[in-house]
Amino acid sequence: YRRQRQMCIRDSHYIEDIETDPVWDTRFEWAHVDQHSIFIHPQNPDLFLAGNDGGIYLSENRGLTYQKLDGLPITQFYRTSMDFQNPEQVYGGAQDNGTMRTLTGDQDDFEFILGGDGFFPLIDPEDSNIIYAESQYGNLRKSTNGGNNFVSAINGFEPERVNWNTPVIFDPNNADVLYMGGNRMYKSTNNANFWNPISDDLTDGGGNGNLAFGTITTISVSPFDSETIMVGTDDGNVWMTENGGTDWNNISDGLPKFWITQVALDPTELGVAYVTISGFRFYDDAAHVFKTTDSGNSWEPISGELPNIPVNDIIINPTNHDLYIATDIGVFKSINDGGSWNILGIGLPNVVITDLSYHEPTHTLLAATYGRSLYSVEVDTDVANENLVKENFNISISPNPFFEEYNITFTNEKVQDFNINIIDVKGQIIENITAQKLTKGNHQFSFGKKEWPVGIYFLQLKNGNGDLI
């Protein structure tokens, strides 16, 4: 903004004061889109930093020229997958950063293979040259030459509405068959060369402002029977068909009427399925994980004492039936079908986990974070979990939440040593309590005021051998 004063020598006095319009100049021209933050150095106003969906850009001349600061693991991933034959080849769909991959599993050799906002990537488990990648609102494309080029793969896919993050999956029994959801379900039997609808509208209808709503958000096909399919929608509906889509049954009774983030048919037992739900958009903070053992006729909540956080995905380990869930603060694991939950591993940032993928031959779990890139971990495959103590210790913490003091109460089934760890959401032990040779019966530990930040903390019990209880 400039203010100009015009002066006249005549009679040596001021005669006119003129204001001109503000003038704006473009800075960081052609940098990545969607600007979120800017920093101007207080001692050096020529030094600018701009933050956007592409990362961080640095300028030393007020944004006239700039460079992108590479090497920061800050990509916002929606979805991810691994090549079944080559699990070091990892794919991810990212916010405003397209679909990208690494062919080596290294951190510094990701390459773009498709533009737009990236979502579900699929690699044919039998032919790694066949790759499906997707941009926003169900724009599915297919490559038959390992990702060198792509062609459209939505011929016949003509729903009335599609989600921003449109689900598309393989039939686990036949990779030539794929399913994709709009407001109706579609099926392709010829590698996405053509799609046919296999349902009517499975939602309550459209609406909810200027965004697409009333859409399918998640699909699961039974590994036992391809005719059994389950879907979930953003408006709280869960449907199942047991005859390939000829007849659909709404099995939502008993579930919260919120956004269905994932449905998962059990890989080891017919009639068993899991549903995860997020109430974030509806001002509901509770963690929602449900299980059915009768094909959706009834549902049991299995969220236990999970923190009050949205749950975005669930994976069932087919080897030992451990459950893994993606939440808004990390990944949790249950070894007793949701009876209790613990943070899985250490080293994962305390951020939103949007998606999980599991590679069974290498027992590798891959997590997509919304803002801190991709992480992987090798998970336990001990079928019987024999190193874990099975006794029910009836553990309780009160009050919960606590402000100045808290009590830990549990029942001990036999004489043994104990270690009690208090863990924060980053997986770091912030307090360790050792109790030696506790007798059978009830025990209570009381603790005074703690100088901990406000937040969520977890209790971990181990016996003298270091086994989790």
Side-chain angles (χ1 to χ4, degrees):
Y1 181 81
R2 295 177 299 182
R3 181 178 177 90
Q4 293 182 346
R5 293 182 181 273
Q6 292 187 357
M7 304 294 292
C8 182
I9 301 301
R10 182 196 316 163
D11 299 328
S12 299
H13 66 273
Y14 165 77
I15 63 170
E16 189 173 7
D17 187 346
I18 301 174
E19 286 191 1
T20 62
D21 291 335
V23 177
W24 292 92
D25 296 321
T26 301
R27 292 293 187 266
F28 291 97
E29 190 170 12
W30 306 115
H32 202 284
V33 297
D34 290 352
Q35 309 304 317
H36 298 296
S37 180
I38 191 166
F39 170 80
I40 304 172
H41 197 287
Q43 279 77 48
N44 180 8
D46 289 334
L47 181 61
F48 274 34
L49 289 170
N52 52 49
D53 276 3
I56 297 179
Y57 289 74
L58 169 68
S59 173
E60 295 181 300
N61 56 10
R62 305 192 182 203
L64 292 175
T65 60
Y66 53 83
Q67 60 177 319
K68 185 176 183 296
L69 302 182
D70 293 322
L72 296 172
I74 54 176
T75 303
Q76 300 167 309
F77 280 103
Y78 286 113
R79 298 290 179 177
T80 186
S81 65
M82 291 172 280
D83 186 331
F84 183 81
Q85 297 187 43
N86 307 288
E88 72 279 359
Q89 298 186 9
V90 175
Y91 292 72
Q95 161 66 28
D96 252 351
N97 284 274
T99 302
M100 59 183 76
R101 70 178 177 188
T102 170
L103 297 179
T104 65
D106 291 337
Q107 300 177 8
D108 57 358
D109 62 354
F110 275 78
E111 60 178 345
F112 289 92
I113 59 174
L114 189 67
D117 291 278
F119 294 97
F120 283 81
L122 298 175
I123 304 92
D124 191 301
E126 299 177 359
D127 185 352
S128 298
N129 286 313
I130 300 177
I131 300 168
Y132 301 88
E134 183 187 35
S135 55
Q136 61 266 37
Y137 294 122
N139 186 15
L140 185 69
R141 300 180 71 82
K142 174 183 175 181
S143 173
T144 57
N145 57 9
N148 291 323
N149 53 58
F150 286 83
V151 298
S152 178
I154 57 172
N155 190 22
F157 182 69
E158 299 174 349
E160 290 76 20
R161 298 177 301 279
V162 290
N163 196 272
W164 171 259
N165 186 354
T166 302
V168 56
I169 68 166
F170 287 123
D171 183 332
N173 307 296
N174 183 356
D176 292 341
V177 178
L178 294 94
Y179 296 88
M180 187 156 63
N183 61 308
R184 295 177 286 164
M185 269 290 293
Y186 282 77
K187 177 181 180 179
S188 173
T189 59
N190 55 9
N191 303 98
N193 290 321
F194 193 84
W195 296 89
N196 289 293
I198 59 169
S199 79
D200 294 328
D201 193 339
L202 297 179
T203 75
D204 295 336
N208 197 38
N210 63 342
L211 298 177
F213 191 74
T215 62
I216 293 170
T217 53
T218 171
I219 309 165
S220 181
V221 178
S222 172
F224 295 106
D225 177 17
S226 296
E227 297 287 290
T228 300
I229 307 166
M230 180 181 287
V231 304
T233 72
D234 54 15
D235 54 10
N237 290 306
V238 177
W239 295 81
M240 178 181 284
T241 177
E242 296 179 315
N243 54 17
T246 302
D247 300 292
W248 289 88
N249 298 311
N250 191 315
I251 56 173
S252 306
D253 285 349
L255 297 174
K257 191 68 171 175
F258 297 146
W259 191 293
I260 308 299
T261 54
Q262 186 73 338
V263 294
L265 289 160
D266 194 281
T268 62
E269 190 174 355
L270 284 169
V272 176
Y274 299 83
V275 168
T276 62
I277 300 171
S278 171
F280 177 81
R281 293 165 179 82
F282 307 95
Y283 307 103
D284 177 90
D285 295 329
H288 296 292
V289 187
F290 291 85
K291 176 186 178 181
T292 179
T293 57
D294 54 12
S295 299
N297 290 315
S298 62
W299 294 95
E300 172 192 4
I302 59 168
S303 51
E305 294 185 356
L306 281 169
N308 290 332
I309 45 172
V311 182
N312 305 312
D313 196 5
I314 186 167
I315 296 285
I316 305 105
N317 189 324
T319 303
N320 58 11
H321 212 270
D322 287 350
L323 303 179
Y324 314 110
I325 58 170
T327 78
D328 274 11
I329 63 169
V331 178
F332 289 78
K333 170 184 175 181
S334 175
I335 63 170
N336 53 13
D337 216 26
S340 60
W341 297 90
N342 291 290
I343 294 176
L344 176 61
I346 59 175
L348 187 65
N350 176 25
V351 293
V352 174
I353 309 298
T354 54
D355 189 43
L356 295 173
S357 298
Y358 181 63
H359 187 254
E360 186 176 356
T362 60
H363 318 302
T364 300
L365 189 68
L366 185 65
T369 80
Y370 198 70
R372 290 292 299 275
S373 194
L374 303 174
Y375 285 75
S376 66
V377 66
E378 185 175 339
V379 296
D380 176 30
T381 56
D382 184 356
V383 175
N385 282 303
E386 291 175 349
N387 65 314
L388 300 173
V389 179
K390 296 296 185 178
E391 292 90 351
N392 179 7
F393 281 81
N394 298 315
I395 302 171
S396 66
I397 303 174
S398 64
N400 192 9
F402 70 90
F403 297 94
E404 294 189 352
E405 63 178 24
Y406 65 96
N407 303 303
I408 299 174
T409 304
F410 61 90
T411 302
N412 186 19
E413 299 294 336
K414 60 185 179 182
V415 177
Q416 57 183 320
D417 296 342
F418 281 96
N419 284 291
I420 303 173
N421 293 324
I422 307 298
I423 302 173
D424 65 15
V425 293
K426 297 179 182 179
Q428 299 173 334
I429 297 175
I430 63 171
E431 184 161 334
N432 172 261
I433 305 132
T434 300
Q436 296 182 348
K437 295 300 180 188
L438 291 183
T439 59
K440 291 183 179 181
N442 297 326
H443 295 272
Q444 177 172 299
F445 293 87
S446 298
F447 302 92
K449 183 177 181 180
K450 301 297 177 183
E451 299 300 328
W452 301 339
V454 173
I456 298 169
Y457 298 88
F458 302 91
L459 174 67
Q460 180 188 75
L461 265 67
K462 291 184 176 182
N463 62 19
N465 298 322
D467 297 328
L468 287 172
I469 297 174

